[in-house]
Amino acid sequence: MFSKTKTSGKRIMTRVFAMVLMVAMFVGTLHAGAYIDTNRDTRPDPEKVEYTLKEYNKYELLYETDTVKYLYREDRDIIAIVDKRSGYTWKTGIDVPFSKELKNNLNNAKTPEEIIEASEPKEKSLNTTYIGIANSLVTVEYSELETTKYLSSAAETGSVSKLMKVEGSDNRWRLDVDFQTIDLQLSVYITFGEDTITYDVPFDALGGEGVKKLTAVILTPFLGASGGEAEMYDPELGDYGPAGPKYRVPGYVFVPDGSGALIRFQDNNVAFNPYIGDVYGSDPSTKTYYYSEVSDAVPVKSPVMPVFGIAHGNKQAAFVAWADKGAEYMDIIVNPDETKKVKYTWSYPRFEYNTTYFQVYNNAGAGYFTLMENPNEFDISMTYRFLSGDGSTGFEADYVGMALAYREHLIDTGVLTVKEAAKGDIPIRLDFLMSDVKKSVIGTTQVVVTTSDDVRNILDDLMEQGITNINSGLIGWQKKSETLAKPWAYKFLSRIGTKGSFIRLFEDFAKKGVDISYSRDFVNINKKMLSYYTNSAKHVNTWYLQVDNSVLFPENAPIEYTGYALPTKTAEWIEKLTSKVSGYSESFTVTGASKTLVSTFDRTGVITNLTQAADAIRGSLEKASKDMKLNLETPNMYLWEYTDRFLQAPVGTSQYVFETDSVPFLEIVLNGTMELYGPYSNFSFYTQSDILRMIDYNISPSFIFTKEPSYLLADTVSSDMYSTEYSQYRDLAKTVYGKVNEVLSQVKGYEWTDREVLESGVIVNTYVKNGETKTVIINYTDSAVNCMNTTVPALSAVVR
């Protein structure tokens, strides 16, 4: 843990250092040609935002701190957040009138001054419904005749809202909204902090018949929106002129796609589908159908944390927003310019209470579409923190400041704990695929490609080469392998290694400082592994969940369909297996359960909802963490408290065409709280640019090996592990690790405090420890650059 006072001092020192750096940098460059950014890169900072200080005569003061003033406009349901550090003002809505309101205001205006005041811009691309949404504090989404509709707290008709101070509190208010059109009532509790607003929507505060129609609640959808088109009033003509673009605020939306993505504000010529980040991944049990098919397309990356943000200008103003309650049901939505024919880029959190699914009523598959009988029951708590400036007075107003602010929140709430890192080499992750099963003439055959003795020999070989800070996971170590062994099974196959040989392997290498662990997926199951009865999760339509893997699995694989374990069973199996090995294994590797969240239903309704599922898995890992370290594959945020090693950390995004930048937001948040390992380098993640990406994102390399050629697994479900033979990657492992370790070992144990793009393809990361500052300069370009009196060769990284 670190104190806020100390952190603030570090930030100020860091900013001073950065200013000196900016003056000294690039005395000259030797570029032969410009570096071309793609959305895999981070581009230079956006332009400065232009703004003027305004009076808010139609707003009333709700609350004021040393940092922020909170104002409210009752007729439009808008809160204005005036940042006293810069004078910049955020509004929860775009603050525009309905056509009728605008017409009445102009008709009632008599003097030229009154006419000018009444002649607000007339929105071009927003109809009456969207103007209500654009001004609203809260909008509800509901289903009617299989059509999705929207109704906002600031709608022209159909709803009324009232803001009242909570009795006995100076900084807490309650917005009561009656959505009369659908007979739905809800209350939003609003708490104002020093530089934060928190919105709480208790489930108990929902009422009326409209709850049966309610599908989602949306908060402040146009906060921070940029763009728009409007007709401007011409006093000389006495009328409105043709529509034109409004001032497009320079900046971006940050979304937690993969490591982190920026969606810059820009004028698009084509319409896009929205970005929908389903936090923790979609729940298979509430999808439209109980069955799904796995495709061979690259899967999108689900957000592992419930956070997003918006930045305006170049380190001028930003906010970061996170959910402390309701995250399991949260979507992060971004509508890029032109989406839904709206000329704004706007982003918001959406919390899902109900969904349409296909109810099957016979074995032929006939059925009908319907909503769930009962809504998801959960509370919402969403906090927005407002950032200002370049970091000299707090967290800087960009994605780095957002990450540091969110990190501080997670540390303050006990989700993350900063751990002291020993000096020396960085770690490397070396997983071993030991076996899998395939069909045979009678039954199945277990194909062994790595034995316990092979693991011993390979680790000894790598240690002789000077790679000593190693941890490993063993996959397919058990009898029947990962594919057919029961999740809690603790049985061995002598052709791989006896129980005794594994114990000796673990204990011998523990003495050498090498941590070896068993790996297990506790979520994905199949009918040849165990009976689905009492073990498998059910869809809301009460059918067992089914996934068709035929596109990915080879024809001779022993299984084609898989399902999902009950969350309670997953938790039970984790406890069973970890308790059996904790006596001699220093850690355990969990896959599947770390990143997959599933609810389950029966004919009476929901049995285990997503919040309960997350609690069950977290509880089992909490118990296991008392006896051993936990290595988790791409774990969701609710498991970070018990994560020692974060495996398969993303180093990019899903590559949506509207995403303009990739950033290491996740890595900045987690820096120093756990070890982070990248994707397996032997699967096309070993080029010089990839090595630089590991250095830039401060993650350690990882490999997966087999002793025998990987083609032997061609008829198993591990056929996607197509390039794993150790002899082919022995030299590459040493090379990749050596280059990454050479740089990152010098900042091991340092706090990552800043990241700057000096120019396209040149990054400077700043690290601080006990008053000492180090910078890592990464040059992705194909020409040398001269920075801080240091020549950084092409495609390389150096430490200052």
Side-chain angles (χ1 to χ4, degrees):
M1 301 283 276
F2 56 83
S3 69
K4 294 182 180 180
T5 303
K6 291 181 180 179
T7 302
S8 178
K10 289 179 182 178
R11 289 196 301 269
I12 293 172
M13 180 193 67
T14 299
R15 299 310 306 178
V16 171
F17 178 82
M19 285 188 284
V20 174
L21 167 68
M22 294 299 288
V23 173
M25 72 178 64
F26 290 98
V27 174
T29 60
L30 304 175
H31 284 235
Y35 181 82
I36 299 176
D37 289 305
T38 70
N39 60 2
R40 298 177 185 271
D41 300 297
T42 308
R43 300 166 189 256
D45 290 331
E47 297 177 356
K48 293 283 187 181
V49 60
E50 299 175 5
Y51 64 96
T52 57
L53 304 183
K54 297 180 180 180
E55 296 293 331
Y56 294 94
N57 299 325
K58 296 183 180 180
Y59 287 74
E60 62 174 307
L61 179 66
L62 296 180
Y63 187 70
E64 184 172 3
T65 70
D66 292 338
T67 306
V68 174
K69 287 197 296 185
Y70 302 100
L71 311 171
Y72 183 62
R73 179 165 180 170
E74 186 174 9
D75 62 330
R76 293 187 183 166
D77 205 22
I78 293 172
I79 295 174
I81 303 97
V82 182
D83 196 319
K84 296 160 89 172
R85 294 167 291 191
S86 63
Y88 197 80
T89 299
W90 296 89
K91 291 182 179 180
T92 56
I94 59 174
D95 201 359
V96 296
F98 294 102
S99 297
K100 288 182 180 179
E101 177 189 351
L102 185 58
K103 185 176 181 180
N104 290 337
N105 290 343
L106 285 171
N107 289 338
N108 294 330
K110 305 302 181 184
T111 66
E113 291 78 13
E114 290 176 342
I115 292 173
I116 291 175
E117 184 178 356
S119 58
E120 298 180 76
K122 184 189 296 184
E123 285 292 322
K124 172 67 174 175
S125 63
L126 300 181
N127 59 23
T128 300
T129 299
Y130 266 96
I131 288 176
I133 294 171
N135 283 339
S136 71
L137 272 171
V138 57
T139 290
V140 296
E141 177 185 299
Y142 64 98
S143 181
E144 192 170 81
L145 299 176
E146 299 185 6
T147 301
T148 299
K149 296 185 177 182
Y150 299 89
L151 186 60
S152 74
S153 59
E156 187 175 38
T157 60
S159 70
V160 292
S161 63
K162 184 176 180 60
L163 184 69
M164 298 173 291
K165 182 179 284 189
V166 174
E167 187 176 349
S169 176
D170 291 332
N171 67 330
R172 189 166 168 81
W173 297 69
R174 188 182 76 238
L175 180 74
D176 292 332
V177 188
D178 185 359
F179 297 98
Q180 300 164 329
T181 299
I182 58 172
D183 185 23
L184 172 69
Q185 297 82 45
L186 65 75
S187 295
V188 182
Y189 290 85
I190 305 171
T191 305
F192 300 111
E194 181 62 39
D195 55 2
T196 62
I197 299 180
T198 298
Y199 301 95
D200 290 292
V201 185
F203 181 79
D204 292 344
L206 298 175
E209 286 296 308
V211 173
K212 297 177 181 178
K213 296 182 176 182
L214 176 68
T215 54
V217 167
I218 294 167
L219 298 176
T220 61
F222 272 73
L223 173 64
S226 176
E229 286 183 321
E231 298 175 9
M232 309 303 291
Y233 187 80
D234 188 337
E236 294 183 1
L237 296 176
D239 199 355
Y240 282 86
K246 298 170 72 173
Y247 174 58
R248 186 178 304 280
V249 175
Y252 50 78
V253 180
F254 156 74
V255 293
D257 178 22
S259 60
L262 307 184
I263 301 171
R264 301 213 179 203
F265 301 139
Q266 56 191 14
D267 185 9
N268 297 321
N269 297 317
V270 296
F272 295 108
N273 290 324
Y275 167 80
I276 302 176
D278 194 336
V279 175
Y280 306 149
S282 60
D283 177 12
S285 295
T286 56
K287 287 184 176 181
T288 305
Y289 301 98
Y290 74 92
Y291 58 87
S292 60
E293 296 180 358
V294 176
S295 76
D296 56 359
V298 177
V300 298
K301 296 174 170 61
S302 298
V304 298
M305 49 188 167
V307 61
F308 77 104
I310 292 179
H312 283 182
N314 181 0
K315 293 181 175 60
Q316 293 170 276
F319 72 78
V320 57
W322 59 77
D324 282 321
K325 294 180 181 178
E328 296 88 354
Y329 298 94
M330 177 184 177
D331 294 324
I332 297 167
I333 310 294
V334 183
N335 292 286
D337 177 278
E338 284 289 0
T339 303
K340 301 178 181 178
K341 298 183 179 180
V342 173
K343 288 298 295 180
Y344 285 94
T345 298
W346 45 300
S347 180
Y348 55 87
R350 174 185 179 272
F351 295 89
E352 186 169 276
Y353 286 89
N354 210 325
T355 187
T356 299
Y357 70 95
F358 189 72
Q359 178 62 60
V360 179
Y361 59 74
N362 64 22
N363 290 331
Y368 54 90
F369 292 99
T370 184
L371 286 174
M372 295 191 300
E373 184 175 352
N374 298 306
N376 298 317
E377 294 188 19
F378 62 94
D379 299 332
I380 297 171
S381 184
M382 192 78 196
T383 296
Y384 293 71
R385 183 170 182 180
F386 298 90
L387 313 176
S388 178
D390 62 0
S392 58
T393 59
F395 295 118
E396 61 193 79
D398 62 4
Y399 70 88
V400 176
M402 296 178 198
L404 293 174
Y406 186 51
R407 167 190 169 89
E408 181 180 82
H409 170 70
L410 295 179
I411 290 173
D412 289 344
T413 54
V415 175
L416 294 178
T417 301
V418 177
K419 300 171 183 176
E420 188 68 29
K423 291 183 179 180
D425 292 339
I426 65 169
I428 185 173
R429 179 74 179 184
L430 301 176
D431 287 339
F432 292 92
L433 179 54
M434 307 191 80
S435 73
D436 208 341
V437 291
K438 67 177 182 179
K439 287 181 182 177
S440 64
V441 177
I442 300 176
T444 60
T445 298
Q446 189 158 353
V447 180
V448 178
V449 288
T450 311
T451 67
S452 59
D453 286 339
D454 293 334
V455 172
R456 180 184 294 274
N457 294 334
I458 291 172
L459 291 176
D460 279 337
D461 183 54
L462 288 167
M463 295 187 77
E464 288 174 4
Q465 296 182 66
I467 302 175
T468 58
N469 192 354
I470 301 171
N471 62 88
S472 294
L474 307 182
I475 304 166
W477 52 271
Q478 65 276 72
K479 186 177 182 180
K480 294 188 178 182
S481 192
E482 180 98 348
T483 303
L484 297 184
K486 290 178 171 56
W488 66 90
Y490 183 56
K491 296 181 179 179
F492 298 86
L493 183 69
S494 59
R495 288 193 292 122
I496 302 175
T498 64
K499 177 181 176 181
S501 70
F502 275 100
I503 292 175
R504 288 191 295 275
L505 176 71
F506 281 48
E507 292 179 341
D508 289 349
F509 277 91
K511 295 174 184 177
K512 301 177 183 180
V514 175
D515 177 10
I516 304 176
S517 64
Y518 296 112
S519 176
R520 193 63 174 106
D521 179 349
F522 295 97
V523 168
N524 297 289
I525 59 176
N526 61 79
K527 290 183 177 180
K528 291 188 177 181
M529 175 190 291
L530 44 65
S531 169
Y532 274 16
Y533 182 68
T534 75
N535 288 313
S536 181
K538 287 184 178 181
H539 190 264
V540 63
N541 70 7
T542 71
W543 285 59
Y544 286 119
L545 294 167
Q546 179 175 289
V547 181
D548 181 353
N549 299 275
S550 58
V551 172
L552 292 185
F553 291 174
E555 187 175 343
N556 283 333
I559 62 171
E560 184 176 347
Y561 298 97
T562 56
Y564 298 91
L566 291 167
T568 51
K569 287 295 182 179
T570 294
E572 176 188 321
W573 298 337
I574 290 173
E575 290 184 34
K576 271 187 178 181
L577 189 52
T578 55
S579 65
K580 291 176 180 178
V581 304
S582 60
Y584 62 91
S585 179
E586 295 183 353
S587 70
F588 196 90
T589 298
V590 177
T591 64
S594 57
K595 59 182 180 179
T596 305
L597 201 56
V598 185
S599 61
T600 189
F601 295 77
D602 68 8
R603 295 188 184 280
T604 64
V606 63
I607 299 301
T608 306
N609 65 28
L610 292 180
T611 304
Q612 294 165 335
D615 288 343
I617 296 169
R618 183 168 56 239
S620 66
L621 292 179
E622 179 185 13
K623 291 180 182 179
S625 69
K626 295 176 181 178
D627 299 316
M628 59 206 318
K629 290 183 176 181
L630 293 175
N631 319 305
L632 305 184
E633 182 182 356
T634 325
N636 291 324
M637 185 274 289
Y638 53 84
L639 299 179
W640 288 355
E641 184 176 355
Y642 308 109
T643 304
D644 294 287
R645 299 185 180 105
F646 189 120
L647 309 181
Q648 301 296 304
V651 288
T653 70
S654 299
Q655 300 292 301
Y656 291 107
V657 67
F658 47 74
E659 291 178 336
T660 54
D661 306 59
S662 296
V663 295
F665 185 97
L666 173 68
E667 287 78 3
I668 294 173
V669 169
L670 298 180
N671 175 248
T673 65
M674 61 187 71
E675 296 174 6
L676 282 85
Y677 298 86
Y680 292 135
S681 286
N682 43 325
F683 291 97
S684 300
F685 191 64
Y686 53 75
T687 68
Q688 185 61 26
S689 293
D690 296 326
I691 292 171
L692 293 178
R693 197 83 61 191
M694 287 186 243
I695 294 170
D696 186 4
Y697 284 39
N698 200 329
I699 59 174
S700 296
S702 67
F703 287 82
I704 182 168
F705 292 138
T706 57
K707 170 62 169 60
E708 303 300 328
S710 51
Y711 69 77
L712 296 174
L713 298 170
D715 290 330
T716 74
V717 299
S718 298
S719 60
D720 58 333
M721 295 291 159
Y722 54 84
S723 187
T724 57
E725 189 177 359
Y726 174 66
S727 62
Q728 295 182 350
Y729 289 100
R730 178 180 182 274
D731 294 339
L732 181 66
K734 182 178 180 180
T735 298
V736 170
Y737 175 76
K739 290 182 178 180
V740 177
N741 182 58
E742 181 182 5
V743 176
L744 292 186
S745 62
Q746 299 183 60
V747 292
K748 187 181 178 186
Y750 281 65
E751 182 184 348
W752 192 355
T753 59
D754 200 13
R755 183 174 186 265
E756 298 279 351
V757 181
L758 304 187
E759 68 169 31
S760 292
V762 182
I763 310 292
V764 170
N765 289 329
T766 303
Y767 295 87
V768 175
K769 181 179 182 181
N770 298 327
E772 180 187 6
T773 299
K774 289 186 178 182
T775 57
V776 177
I777 308 169
I778 303 104
N779 179 12
Y780 287 102
T781 75
D782 58 5
S783 299
V785 295
N786 192 2
C787 179
M788 298 176 60
N789 298 320
T790 300
T791 298
V792 185
L795 291 168
S796 66
V798 299
V799 181
R800 285 280 297 184

